[in-house]
Amino acid sequence: MKIGMIGLGRMGGNMARRLMAGGHQIVAFDRNADAVKALADDGAEPATSLDDLRSKLDSPAIWWVMLPAGEITETTIETIAADAQAGDIVIDGGNSFYKDDIRRAKALAEKGLHYVDVGTSGGVWGRERGYCMMIGGDKETVDLLDPIFDTLAPGTGDIVKTPGRVADKVDPRAERGYIHAGPAGSGHFVKMIHNGIEYGLMQAYAEGFDILKSKNTDKIAEDQRFDLNLTDIAEVWRRGSVISSWLLDLTAIALAKDEMLEQFSGSVADSGEGQWTIDAAMEQKVPANVLTASLFARYRSRIDHTYGDKVLSAMRYGFGGHVEIPQ
């Protein structure tokens, strides 16, 4: 299929490359001309503007917007919609707020356009490993785009099938790494909760390693101090432990390079989804103690940094290439 990819950063550029490797055609646009040239060198068709991109797409056109959530995504989609033709499809693969998706889908539908929101997880590893996707939109449009999602997804790989899943009662796409979650907004809603859970998991690891490290400080009676090798602890937990995970893998990699994590500031950013998750919990009257505490811990980290905050920064850099800047 032919896709117009708008936004060629860490995620968009690598997604475009994975799609091209899977036989799809990419027309690429980014305000950064160097990013466009780099993707063109890898086989994409370059575009100099949104108008130029539209002239190079098929009909119906498929626009994939891969930009940071907020004003830039909003204005880009508005610009696309102003000149799009009936039947065109606009995909937002960033981390937009799900209520914005619902509003956009209604506005675009009035113009005969289709809107699909794709919550995308995979970070800088996605080009190689594939991307986990949670998709919102009408069934007919999502089914039409299935070859794109199937190419981006990790596939079944070597993960053992979940016992008890009955083939005729479940969506087989889930085992390949993507789902049609429901109508517009549902994809980003599921991804929002995914990121809220991510905050909690990361905070648990960070606090655990902070406690381990502080066992050899003057806060502890001298005869009760342990000089623990955190690098080895992370490594042994990766092997057979019930708390093994990809996040622990990334922690082990960072500790193996530098157990003190000197390159990380410990000022931990949040990109909005954590707060949106807590807002949803409040709206729905669902207790979310751990997720709330993990969000507040990130706020606190920008004032007072701990070793655990550096562990958080190391994980964020590991999966997403996020570079934390002290605030």
Side-chain angles (χ1 to χ4, degrees):
M1 302 182 79
K2 197 170 193 178
I3 307 125
M5 183 67 75
I6 304 161
L8 308 176
R10 288 190 299 264
M11 291 285 282
N14 281 340
M15 291 172 73
R17 289 179 174 90
R18 185 173 176 90
L19 286 166
M20 289 190 294
H24 299 277
Q25 297 172 277
I26 295 294
V27 184
F29 174 68
D30 193 287
R31 292 187 297 186
N32 183 338
D34 290 339
V36 176
K37 182 181 183 305
L39 200 65
D41 289 344
D42 288 341
E45 184 176 359
T48 58
S49 66
L50 291 177
D51 285 341
D52 185 38
L53 189 150
R54 178 64 183 91
S55 70
K56 296 174 177 178
L57 294 177
D58 297 333
S59 186
I62 301 172
W63 309 75
W64 189 305
V65 180
M66 204 66 197
L67 297 168
E71 184 177 353
I72 187 171
T73 293
E74 191 74 28
T75 56
T76 299
I77 292 175
E78 287 176 355
T79 302
I80 291 170
D83 295 321
Q85 299 176 6
D88 284 358
I89 301 168
V90 179
I91 305 168
D92 178 7
N95 280 324
S96 289
F97 186 40
Y98 77 97
K99 292 182 180 179
D100 290 335
D101 294 314
I102 296 171
R103 169 179 52 78
R104 289 178 193 148
K106 291 177 180 177
L108 267 60
E110 292 175 358
K111 298 183 177 184
L113 308 177
H114 303 284
Y115 182 85
V116 174
D117 55 290
V118 181
T120 310
S121 181
V124 295
W125 298 76
R127 180 181 177 184
E128 175 187 349
R129 294 167 56 121
Y131 300 88
C132 173
M133 291 167 290
M134 297 133 270
I135 305 158
D138 68 87
K139 183 179 185 304
E140 183 178 356
T141 303
V142 172
D143 288 349
L144 176 67
L145 298 172
D146 191 75
I148 296 174
F149 302 135
D150 190 55
T151 299
L152 287 171
T156 54
D158 58 1
I159 298 176
V160 176
K161 286 184 175 293
T162 301
R165 276 181 67 88
V166 180
D168 62 353
K169 295 183 179 179
V170 296
D171 186 344
R173 292 173 294 189
E175 292 184 341
R176 303 203 300 273
Y178 65 107
I179 59 167
H180 180 198
S186 63
H188 277 149
F189 183 79
V190 175
K191 176 58 163 48
M192 179 184 82
I193 304 305
H194 163 284
N195 283 20
I197 293 170
E198 174 188 297
Y199 280 31
L201 292 172
M202 292 172 69
Q203 187 64 29
Y205 284 121
E207 292 177 6
F209 278 99
D210 209 355
I211 296 168
L212 291 169
K213 183 177 182 298
S214 68
K215 188 61 174 169
N216 192 36
T217 65
D218 57 11
K219 301 174 185 177
I220 306 300
E222 189 170 356
D223 65 344
Q224 295 179 27
R225 296 176 191 170
F226 299 145
D227 185 10
L228 301 168
N229 187 315
L230 303 190
T231 304
D232 285 347
I233 291 171
E235 188 63 28
V236 75
W237 282 352
R238 292 180 62 219
R239 303 176 185 279
S241 164
V242 297
I243 64 167
S244 60
S245 72
W246 186 30
L247 289 171
L248 182 59
D249 294 346
L250 296 173
T251 303
I253 291 169
L255 291 172
K257 292 178 179 177
D258 171 22
E259 189 170 291
M260 295 306 295
L261 303 176
E262 294 289 353
Q263 77 176 90
F264 299 102
S265 72
S267 177
V268 187
D270 70 286
S271 53
E273 300 92 336
Q275 181 176 331
W276 297 340
T277 298
I278 305 312
D279 290 344
M282 296 287 285
E283 287 179 10
Q284 296 164 214
K285 298 179 173 56
V286 176
N289 305 44
V290 172
L291 307 191
T292 303
S294 67
L295 176 65
F296 288 166
R298 292 195 178 200
Y299 294 162
R300 190 265 313 139
S301 76
R302 297 163 206 171
I303 302 170
D304 176 32
H305 315 316
T306 67
Y307 181 78
D309 297 330
K310 292 189 174 187
V311 176
L312 282 176
S313 287
M315 282 186 275
R316 281 173 50 80
Y317 179 77
F319 68 71
H322 303 290
V323 178
E324 312 285 10
I325 299 174
Q327 299 182 14

